[in-house]
Amino acid sequence: MWVICAKLFTFWYYINMKKRLLSGIQPSGTIHIGNYFGAIKQFVDLQDTYESFIFIADLHAITTIQNKDILSKNILNVAMDYLACGLDPKKVCLFKQSDIPEVAELAWYFNCITTMPYLERATAYKDANMKAKEVNVGLFDYPILMAADILIHDADVVPVGSDQKQHVEYARDTAIKFNNAFGQTFKLPEVLILKEVAIVPGIDGRKMSKSYGNTIPLFGTDDQIRKTVMSIVTDSKKPSEPKDPETCNIFAIHKLFLKNEDLENLRKRYTNGGLGYKESKDMLYEEIVSFIKPMREKREYYEKNIEEVKKILNSGGERARNNIQNKMKIIRDNVGVNI
Ligand code: ATP
Ligand code: MG
């Protein structure tokens, strides 16, 4: 009888145990609508379904931000953005990456089983290498630090925009390499990407990115939002001419804010002709401003209560660090540095 009860309990526990979700955003600039639709919205939507760990990737940001005032300001800004967007610190463990120094230790173990040509194939590195004169070692090693972020928490799913898909694959590869070298230690995480928001385009049509300077800020002032919306690059068709919505950078962003009938009506106005790009931009500006209004109000609350934000981050950091101690012991045992 007891054995049956124990088995039933184990079964019940297993099916009720929430899977673990982990993701983060770099405090490398101002959060934009691509970050919101590509990542943060998923974090908020999934916070009841998963045991969620959401962090601010401050160690990653040092690859591009090397100014302490800017970095610390950006960290608090991302924390306020997360909270204003609806992340609930009672449900989600919200923390700074640097509060878990063990990720840097784990990244080192991973570095020792990773080859240079493998990292040279990373698209983010290839992009950066084309632009920068000399890529720093931190940026080159970005996928390995990200693998450590994910694997140290035994994450089951990692919701990201599609630009990060390859990095999650690197985390899976790295888990397999480590397991082969040191014995079974890590589970393989799954990437979670929503097709319709996989890549939100920026005002120049490239992927919207903090580092490309082509963003529409999520929490910009009305003026900033208007200015960036008005700078969305279009072709030179006159208002009367029919236009292809699928190749229009403005329409691509309308798609995030308009649903069903409203979107179809706008699509028709594009194809019929008679809608100028200026009018389409004015409409988009109104859509964005009314969409963010409630989040803005929440953010204003946190701006006035910054100590509360710091407290949330500190207690999240403590919880996240406690949480990985057992895992680190197993990792160190398996590597052989525990004697
Ligand atoms: P940086 O230019 O510094 O790399 P970023 O704008 O690309 O910044 P990240 O902090 O690298 O932002 O990414 C945070 C999350 O937002 C990731 O999950 C990433 O996939 C997602 N994301 C970033 N930009 C977009 C975008 N344009 N469309 C969809 N998702 C995006
Ligand atoms: Mg990025």
Side-chain angles (χ1 to χ4, degrees), residues 26 142 163-164 207 209-210:
Q26 297 189 66
Y142 182 111
D163 59 313
Q164 293 291 336
K207 175 193 114 66
S209 272
K210 295 182 220 106

Side-chain angles (χ1 to χ4, degrees), residues 147-164:
D149 292 326
I150 297 169
L151 299 175
I152 204 169
H153 287 282
D154 272 331
D156 296 292
V157 293
V158 185
V160 285
S162 68
D163 59 313
Q164 293 291 336

